[in-house]
Amino acid sequence: MSALRQPTVARQPTAPATSRRYQSLGYRTKRLLLGPALTTSQLAHQRVSKRVALAVFSSDPISSTAYATEEMLLVLVGGSLAGGILATGLALPVALAIVALLALLVVSYRQVVDAYPSAGGAYVVSRDNFGNVTAAVAGAALLIDYVLTVAVSVSSGVAAMASVFPDQLGPVRVEISVAFVILLAWGNLRGLREAGKLFAIPTYVYVVSVAAMILAGIWRLAAGDIAPIRYSAAQAALLHHEGAVGAVTVFLVLRAFASGTTALTGVEAISNGVSAFRAPEAANAKRTLMVMAAIMGSLFLGVTYLAVQLEARPFDSGYPTVISQIARQVLGAGPAFILVQTATLLILVLAANTSFSGFPLLASFAAGDALLPRQLRKRGHRLVYSNGILALSAVAIFLIVAFRADTHNLIPLYAVGVVLSFTLSQAGMTRRHLRLREPGWRSGTLINGVGAVVTGIALVVIVIGKFAEGAFIVVIAIPLLVWLLLRIQRTYGRELAQLKVQASSRLAPPKPRHEVVVLVEDLDQAALSALQYARQLNPLAITAMHVAVDPDHARELGRLWARVHIPFPLELVDAPDRNLLAAVEEAIAELVRPDTEVTVLVPRRRFVGFWRRVLHDQTSAGLTKVLGSMENVNVTLVPFHMSGSQPQLFAVKET
């Protein structure tokens, strides 16, 4: 069998004891903060059950019930006659319409899970049905959506607690929000299953406590022992008003509907994370999706119903929140109220966990298609996409600081990406049904077609109605991000075209001449080590080269070289302007010919300890950069380990 046909052999290295293996400072830090590293073979054991997945992937849509009603009321109350009593009555019909859209989305995403059981979502649906550019649009919208989910959820959670302690927590909302993002990043860097276990309990506490509050409120309304919320004159002055008010119009209702669609954020996270479920993955994902929709729809309708019946109004400052006003009116100011507010804080903060699960997965899909840097495909210390988690945290913290953790300012940015991804997903599934005509394609086309039209209308209303309030930022950001994604893809494409190996590719014959140049700063053990290595290469010629940045030192080195028994010539290169890198480049360029391969060896002293490294420059890095770009020139760093007690490895003999 020829050498070219020899099979590849996978060799299993014999790993030494963990304590003896090399561990960098970064690795030791990760081990301390995150726990021991997980092996790749443990990936299958990191998949989550349906109960944990509900907390990991559904905390965002479930938590949005804490602020979606308030976002509708901000539009209805501020944009209608007489403070909004008539328009507030429209909140429940609008909420019913949003829940109907939720049902359409759930049916659609169940189809997405069936069609794309390994990885779905608007990105994959758009890529397979519309092509690369539309996929980039969907990816950009979802990435922005996930980032804003973190910023909005955390800011809303802190606002919930500021509703209880406004004087103490109000002034430090930004700092607390940033701290929560860091906590969430740490929890998710520890692993998906670890994050699920850590964050599952607060999700279920919120569901139970808010459901109990709704049932108690409905019971008290039926019994007639609860009155609408009454505001003092001082409080009334702080309620939300949008200046001039007018009649209830269709556009006003559409704006309220568009604002309320923020309750649907995160619905598609389950379809993005099917691969994280235990087997059978698709079946478990679809069941979790149904449970999520039932919980989210029930809580959203319940909170909206109580808000209408109790005549709750939003405050301009964002707190007390509408849900906190309802809880205080229904439960009083005792422990039950504190429990609801604490649960609301936790679920809103942990709602960002949906993004910490979905963003890294989506980024890994996009990186696999060369739309994002390849580093986002790498699994980290605990088998999660650590680089995606860190990138998400950094951008979310920037937004929280830039917008002062104000939910009402962030929401207009939020809705555009959410609804755009819904529209593309629905339209993509519609086209898939028409293209493949699989069993049930007619009903699927109807469902997805209606969903695409409804979400498309909502998108137009959001862009028009919220444009001046901040939506213009996302309208500009999405095209810019799409341009960046496509440019990254083109860059990777050009690299692939240059690096791609064809089946007919063969190694070229070696060049007739191979010369080695050893760059010498001093005649020391590091230089001798590099010269010894040069002999191992068995080249046609070996030359030691010194750049005379300091003429006196160069003359002294030349005299010492003449007295020492070294069988290689020393070439002194003049550098009157002391530009070492340019002088080396020019000298090596003179050696390069079409039939010659030049290897430049750079002795590199490896110093132990921070203090030793600070005392020496990093010239070798500059030499590698300059010489590495030259044709037919190869650069090799020859390390020489410097320790506290340095042994003499090579003897220097004078003649």
Side-chain angles (χ1 to χ4, degrees):
M1 185 178 293
S2 66
L4 290 176
R5 292 184 175 274
Q6 290 291 337
T8 58
V9 178
R11 182 168 62 92
Q12 297 294 332
T14 303
T18 303
S19 59
R20 297 175 57 190
R21 299 181 66 189
Y22 172 74
Q23 296 182 0
S24 65
L25 176 62
Y27 183 91
R28 293 196 301 271
T29 303
K30 287 187 287 187
R31 185 179 177 88
L32 175 65
L33 296 177
L34 307 178
L38 296 177
T39 62
T40 305
S41 61
Q42 294 176 280
L43 182 60
H45 302 292
Q46 291 300 300
R47 298 192 176 190
V48 294
S49 64
K50 295 189 292 294
R51 289 187 298 273
V52 174
L54 184 65
V56 171
F57 293 107
S58 302
S59 54
D60 179 21
I62 291 174
S63 71
S64 63
T65 60
Y67 58 80
T69 298
E70 183 165 350
E71 292 304 315
M72 289 193 303
L73 292 176
L74 282 168
V75 175
L76 294 173
V77 172
S80 60
L81 289 170
I85 295 177
L86 174 61
T88 302
L90 295 172
L92 191 57
V94 172
L96 286 168
I98 291 171
V99 171
L101 178 58
L102 171 65
L104 281 174
L105 291 173
V106 167
V107 173
S108 172
Y109 281 118
R110 283 173 62 87
Q111 296 173 352
V112 170
V113 171
D114 285 329
Y116 305 96
S118 59
Y123 172 75
V124 176
V125 174
S126 300
R127 182 193 64 190
D128 287 359
N129 295 284
F130 292 123
N132 188 55
V133 175
T134 307
V137 174
L142 283 168
L143 291 172
I144 291 174
D145 174 30
Y146 281 132
V147 171
L148 287 168
T149 294
V150 176
V152 170
S153 298
V154 171
S155 300
S156 298
V158 175
M161 285 311 295
S163 300
V164 183
F165 307 106
D167 296 333
Q168 294 82 0
L169 300 183
V172 291
R173 287 169 61 184
V174 174
E175 291 79 1
I176 297 174
S177 298
V178 170
F180 275 127
V181 173
I182 294 173
L183 176 63
L184 284 166
W186 170 78
N188 281 274
L189 287 171
R190 288 183 56 85
L192 184 62
R193 191 172 68 172
E194 294 290 333
K197 292 179 179 178
L198 185 64
F199 303 142
I201 293 177
T203 301
Y204 290 107
V205 171
Y206 173 82
V207 171
V208 172
S209 61
V210 174
M213 178 197 73
I214 292 171
L215 293 175
I218 294 173
W219 177 269
R220 293 190 63 186
L221 284 170
D225 68 342
I226 185 172
I229 300 172
R230 294 290 177 256
Y231 300 98
S232 65
Q235 291 174 325
L238 301 175
L239 292 176
H240 176 69
H241 299 285
E242 287 190 355
V245 295
V248 175
T249 63
V250 174
F251 187 70
L252 177 69
V253 175
L254 288 176
R255 282 186 59 205
F257 176 83
S259 294
T261 55
T262 55
L264 304 177
T265 58
V267 168
E268 83 151 26
I270 291 176
S271 64
N272 271 338
V274 176
S275 59
F277 284 79
R278 290 178 182 171
E281 294 86 348
N284 286 334
K286 289 193 293 183
R287 293 191 190 102
T288 306
L289 187 62
M290 293 296 292
V291 174
M292 178 274 297
I295 293 174
M296 179 260 156
S298 301
L299 295 184
F300 179 47
L301 289 176
V303 171
T304 304
Y305 174 76
L306 291 180
V308 172
Q309 295 299 316
L310 299 177
E311 300 178 14
R313 298 289 184 271
F315 282 79
D316 271 325
S317 64
Y319 55 89
T321 60
V322 167
I323 195 171
S324 71
Q325 296 176 51
I326 295 172
R328 187 184 294 271
Q329 191 74 1
V330 172
L331 304 174
F337 168 71
I338 299 298
L339 174 63
V340 170
Q341 289 306 105
T342 303
T344 302
L345 163 69
L346 293 177
I347 187 64
L348 285 169
V349 170
L350 298 184
N353 198 55
T354 298
S355 291
F356 279 99
S357 304
F359 182 98
L361 284 170
L362 173 62
S364 71
F365 300 153
D369 293 332
L371 288 169
L372 285 173
R374 290 172 180 162
Q375 295 91 322
L376 294 170
R377 294 190 66 189
K378 296 180 180 179
R379 293 189 181 272
H381 191 76
R382 300 283 293 182
L383 293 178
V384 292
Y385 296 106
S386 303
N387 291 329
I389 292 173
L390 294 174
L392 172 64
S393 305
V395 181
I397 288 174
F398 170 78
L399 287 178
I400 288 172
V401 174
F403 287 87
R404 305 302 300 166
D406 191 323
T407 305
H408 300 325
N409 289 336
L410 289 166
I411 285 288
L413 284 69
Y414 195 22
V416 175
V418 174
V419 182
L420 176 57
S421 65
F422 288 159
T423 304
L424 292 175
S425 177
Q426 300 285 318
M429 287 302 296
T430 302
R431 181 167 185 178
R432 187 178 191 277
H433 291 310
L434 294 173
R435 179 167 52 88
L436 301 180
R437 296 179 182 268
E438 296 176 332
W441 69 273
R442 288 185 175 86
S443 60
T445 300
L446 177 63
I447 292 171
N448 296 132
V450 171
V453 171
V454 172
T455 53
I457 293 173
L459 177 62
V460 173
V461 172
I462 290 171
V463 172
I464 296 174
K466 300 288 187 179
F467 190 84
E469 299 176 23
F472 72 92
I473 297 176
V474 178
V475 172
I476 296 172
I478 289 178
L480 288 177
L481 185 54
V482 169
W483 172 81
L484 178 62
L485 296 178
L486 294 176
R487 179 168 183 177
I488 291 172
Q489 189 178 58
R490 285 195 297 270
T491 300
Y492 277 131
R494 287 193 294 267
E495 292 178 1
L496 180 62
Q498 295 182 24
L499 297 173
K500 188 175 182 179
V501 176
Q502 303 291 340
S504 59
S505 298
R506 296 289 184 271
L507 291 176
K511 294 184 181 297
R513 298 174 56 85
H514 178 210
E515 298 187 12
V516 173
V517 176
V518 181
L519 297 181
V520 175
E521 181 181 356
D522 289 300
L523 182 54
D524 54 18
Q525 294 291 337
L528 293 179
S529 176
L531 290 168
Q532 178 65 21
Y533 177 68
R535 299 174 71 176
Q536 299 296 122
L537 299 178
N538 196 24
L540 182 67
I542 298 176
T543 303
M545 180 180 292
H546 174 78
V547 179
V549 176
D550 182 349
D552 293 336
H553 176 70
R555 285 190 292 271
E556 180 61 27
L557 177 62
R559 287 194 293 267
L560 179 60
W561 199 275
R563 297 199 307 267
V564 175
H565 184 64
I566 297 178
F568 311 119
L570 173 66
E571 179 180 342
L572 298 178
V573 177
D574 190 26
D577 59 355
R578 296 167 305 286
N579 190 338
L580 184 145
L581 298 181
V584 170
E585 182 182 26
E586 293 169 358
I588 298 300
E590 294 178 0
L591 301 176
V592 177
R593 295 193 297 270
D595 64 341
T596 303
E597 193 87 16
V598 179
T599 297
V600 180
L601 302 183
V602 181
R604 184 180 183 183
R605 301 164 181 83
R606 296 183 61 87
F607 299 98
V608 176
F610 172 77
W611 182 244
R612 286 176 176 267
R613 289 194 294 270
V614 168
L615 295 178
H616 298 273
D617 62 27
Q618 301 296 321
T619 306
S620 59
L623 290 169
T624 302
K625 181 179 179 180
V626 171
L627 299 177
S629 62
M630 299 177 64
E631 194 75 23
N632 292 336
V633 175
N634 307 290
V635 184
T636 301
L637 298 179
V638 183
F640 183 78
H641 184 76
M642 299 287 293
S643 60
S645 57
Q646 175 188 335
Q648 292 291 325
L649 299 181
F650 300 94
V652 179
K653 299 180 180 179
E654 296 187 13
T655 57

